[in-house]
Amino acid sequence: MPAPNIDTIVSLAKRRGFVFPSSEVYGGLGSAWDYGPLGVELCNNVKQSWWRWLVYERDDIEGIDSSIILNRLVWQYSGHEATFHDPLVDCRECKSRMRADKLEGYFPEGDQRAEFDANARIRAGLVKCAECGSTNLTDERHFNMMFRTMLGAAADENDPSALAYLRPETAQGIFINFLNVQTTMRRKIPFGIAQVGKSFRNEITPGNFILRTREFEQMEMEYFVKPDAEHLKLVDEWVELYVEWFKGLGIDAANLQLHEVPKEELAHYSKRTVDIMYRYFPERPEEERQWEELMGIAYRTDFDLRSHSSKPVDAEGNRINPDSTEDLSYFDETTKQRFYPHVIEPAAGVNRTVLAVLMDAYSEKTNDKGETRVILKLSPQLAPIKAAILPLAKNKPEIVGMAKAIKRSLQPVLRAVYDDTGGIGKLYARQDEIGTPMCITVDHQSLEDEAVTVRDRDTWEQERVKVSDLAEHLQKRLKPYPNPLPEPV
Ligand code: GAP
């Protein structure tokens, strides 16, 4: 049973230290969130799982960490300055500001979808405000979503030479480093470059908790292949691998769905994109409105490497990029051919993955007393805390001492905590709610037999384990890394 809605997770996340509204002491900041002690662990575990899966367990992917602020020309030649914008409208009745292309009636039905006049449709009253249903909307305006900043302490706000952007995707930092990585790591195509890090977009309608925010984290990988590779098939292969990865994180396949992005909605660089969608809105009665993008897998062609290269020319023979000092082409030693590699890009969001993982792990169980308890059935690899050591009597120094010693002995092997801030029932309930797979109770008997009770989060079953066997026992119970190893494509 996943969470019935996002609000259930918002409340659990705040109550238990996963995610807090940002800047709360000053009344908050719309759609900004801070990750608390458990949230940061969960995010780190998601990122580590991804990094290990791609960079360590495959032989064909390298990692990098590029700057957030890049030369402005990167965004000029990537096409983001000219095209990375959303259409914005205001409702004259309720004063809401919205993304026009998300509104009912914006796109015409069927074939006419590719070419249409959005403002003509708005003026004809065909497009409806999402808040109040009015059709009294302003014309759409295009709004670039990149955050601007000025470089230099004394830079003038209107000085174009000081203008820079916070990156809206991590991908461009990979493209501009393609040759650096390829040559230093002596890579042959096909190979990939992975990067995880923050991206920023001045979203018109951020919202739904950590689903859409202006500052977020991406896990992107650019996979470089030959120009004659089977690109569209490779997209499908990466989609399958990622679906398996999400399932390995504990997400139920029933809550995942694929969406072939229609041609007219493709980003400027994409020839094909398949989105993996998650059921973030199970409470919505219409099934088609329950889904939102978790990640996308795009075929970006050779668009980016070409755009950033010094040599390519247009139909008139003019260099398409007179500013670049490098040619990001690749020389194939076996065929003796030089070409711009084509790219398959799986681009995932850390925050959306975390939200999907939390929603899918949420469950409720009734205890003997008829009370409902929340259990967060997080996959052990993602659980912020792997084991909680709980003394049955906190006023008994021998029991407390033994519990603390067990905690210390486990710490180098796995993340363990000691907690004596309540009765045992309350302590179990708290650990269940934050997804701790194992609780270890030290009782009076432990002082005699050097054994402890190990309680399972999901079944509430208990077993007695010798302290000397505990670390090994827990490591077995926490299961090894569960993802299937994807074969290089
Ligand atoms: N480089 C390609 C790219 O950035 P995208 O579909 O715009 O593609 C990839 O973004 C992923 O990044 C999304 O599928 C989503 O998981 C995450 N993402 C994008 N915008 C986001 C936002 N405003 N808030 C949270 N996550 C976001």
Side-chain angles (χ1 to χ4, degrees):
M1 177 194 95
N5 48 45
I6 291 181
D7 284 347
T8 307
I9 299 298
V10 177
S11 137
L12 169 72
K14 170 138 201 232
R15 193 170 65 246
R16 289 299 183 205
F18 282 91
V19 185
F20 308 122
S22 185
S23 316
E24 225 179 352
V25 294
Y26 291 110
L29 173 68
S31 301
W33 301 90
D34 296 338
Y35 289 78
L38 301 184
V40 67
E41 295 291 341
L42 180 55
C43 287
N44 284 344
N45 291 343
V46 164
K47 289 185 275 184
Q48 273 166 22
S49 161
W50 180 79
W51 192 264
R52 183 181 312 195
W53 175 55
L54 289 182
V55 180
Y56 294 0
E57 293 180 359
R58 290 179 65 109
D59 296 325
D60 58 349
I61 297 179
E62 301 284 355
I64 63 160
D65 184 16
S66 70
S67 297
I68 285 177
I69 298 175
L70 302 171
N71 190 313
R72 180 187 165 189
L73 291 169
V74 171
W75 306 109
Q76 186 177 318
Y77 288 103
S78 69
H80 283 80
E81 263 196 352
T83 62
F84 195 61
H85 41 55
D86 276 343
L88 173 153
V89 287
D90 291 307
C91 174
R92 292 196 183 95
E93 301 297 328
C94 73
K95 311 294 174 211
S96 299
R97 175 161 288 182
M98 295 152 289
R99 255 184 80 168
D101 58 342
K102 296 284 176 196
L103 300 181
E104 190 184 325
Y106 180 83
F107 289 109
E109 299 281 319
D111 294 348
Q112 306 153 41
R113 205 176 150 100
E115 283 173 31
F116 69 99
D117 181 344
N119 282 333
R121 291 182 66 77
I122 292 171
R123 284 178 217 145
L126 297 170
V127 186
K128 269 194 186 163
C129 169
E131 292 302 319
C132 70
S134 163
T135 56
N136 188 6
L137 306 177
T138 61
D139 278 4
E140 70 174 13
R141 279 121 45 224
H142 285 270
F143 165 80
N144 194 295
M145 290 199 292
M146 285 195 290
F147 275 101
R148 296 151 67 97
T149 188
M150 309 310 287
L151 298 186
D156 187 305
E157 274 207 10
N158 301 314
D159 176 2
S161 67
L163 177 61
Y165 301 104
L166 303 189
R167 68 181 175 200
E169 62 170 11
T170 60
Q172 295 304 321
I174 296 179
F175 294 124
I176 57 173
N177 278 295
F178 166 72
L179 266 196
N180 288 335
V181 176
Q182 190 259 316
T183 52
T184 53
M185 306 315 284
R186 301 172 309 283
R187 281 291 182 180
K188 289 197 169 51
I189 272 171
F191 78 95
I193 305 178
Q195 164 153 243
V196 50
K198 292 249 174 166
S199 290
F200 303 81
R201 296 181 190 175
N202 208 351
E203 297 278 1
I204 296 170
T205 45
N208 290 312
F209 190 37
I210 54 174
L211 185 70
R212 179 165 289 104
T213 48
R214 296 194 171 98
E215 171 182 343
F216 54 97
E217 229 173 340
Q218 291 185 305
M219 301 176 282
E220 297 201 285
M221 198 274 288
E222 310 301 321
Y223 198 70
F224 300 94
V225 298
K226 289 185 175 176
D228 61 357
E230 290 188 82
H231 308 115
L232 302 185
K233 209 170 129 210
L234 285 172
V235 170
D236 291 324
E237 288 182 21
W238 278 105
V239 167
E240 257 178 57
L241 291 174
Y242 266 80
V243 167
E244 288 308 309
W245 182 66
F246 286 123
K247 281 167 37 189
L249 295 185
I251 296 177
D252 185 346
N255 293 325
L256 296 171
Q257 198 179 67
L258 304 184
H259 170 66
E260 183 81 39
V261 177
K263 289 233 163 351
E264 60 280 5
E265 287 176 28
L266 290 174
H268 61 278
Y269 51 72
S270 175
K271 270 263 164 62
R272 182 187 180 206
T273 299
V274 176
D275 286 341
I276 300 180
M277 316 284 279
Y278 178 76
R279 200 193 299 271
Y280 290 106
F281 304 99
E283 76 282 12
R284 292 181 179 165
E286 312 88 341
E287 154 95 34
E288 70 272 17
R289 291 188 57 241
Q290 295 179 352
W291 306 89
E292 182 56 78
E293 176 186 333
L294 169 58
M295 71 167 296
I297 293 102
Y299 167 40
R300 284 183 87 127
T301 70
D302 57 357
F303 173 84
D304 301 272
L305 290 184
R306 256 181 197 282
S307 306
H308 291 305
S309 286
S310 54
K311 285 195 178 155
V313 289
D314 61 17
E316 280 84 49
N318 299 317
R319 280 171 63 190
I320 61 169
N321 187 338
D323 294 304
S324 170
T325 57
E326 290 269 359
D327 185 52
L328 302 176
S329 62
Y330 170 85
F331 184 70
D332 189 325
E333 294 287 352
T334 37
T335 61
K336 305 290 177 215
Q337 281 175 330
R338 181 168 285 284
F339 54 80
Y340 294 99
H342 283 227
V343 171
I344 314 297
E345 175 195 69
V350 174
N351 319 78
R352 287 190 191 185
T353 304
V354 163
L355 181 54
V357 158
L358 284 171
M359 289 189 76
D360 236 79
Y362 183 92
S363 70
E364 290 176 1
K365 187 169 171 170
T366 309
N367 66 13
D368 298 345
K369 296 181 198 147
E371 298 158 337
T372 304
R373 294 275 182 246
V374 172
I375 309 182
L376 206 52
K377 294 192 172 178
L378 289 173
S379 142
Q381 62 162 326
L382 297 186
I385 294 162
K386 313 297 182 198
I389 324 301
L390 316 172
L392 203 60
K394 71 171 175 185
N395 51 3
K396 261 275 194 190
E398 299 91 325
I399 291 182
V400 168
M402 185 173 179
K404 286 186 174 170
I406 290 174
K407 188 259 173 194
R408 276 195 304 276
S409 72
L410 290 175
Q411 198 66 74
V413 188
L414 47 86
R415 175 83 204 275
V417 294
Y418 167 87
D419 192 1
D420 65 5
T421 56
I424 194 70
K426 212 168 169 189
L427 295 180
Y428 281 153
R430 187 184 298 162
Q431 295 300 330
D432 286 346
E433 207 175 0
I434 62 172
T436 306
M438 300 288 154
C439 282
I440 288 122
T441 313
V442 181
D443 53 25
H444 294 89
Q445 184 68 24
S446 308
L447 301 174
E448 322 250 302
D449 63 3
E450 280 287 311
V452 288
T453 301
V454 176
R455 173 188 176 272
D456 182 279
R457 175 196 68 197
D458 300 342
T459 61
W460 292 352
E461 277 168 12
Q462 306 192 357
E463 60 184 318
R464 209 65 190 162
V465 177
K466 283 271 171 214
V467 175
S468 53
D469 299 336
L470 192 58
E472 201 186 326
H473 175 87
L474 291 179
Q475 278 177 305
K476 265 196 211 140
R477 294 282 304 271
L478 292 167
K479 291 193 207 107
Y481 186 66
N483 292 321
L485 291 184
E487 289 300 319
V489 282

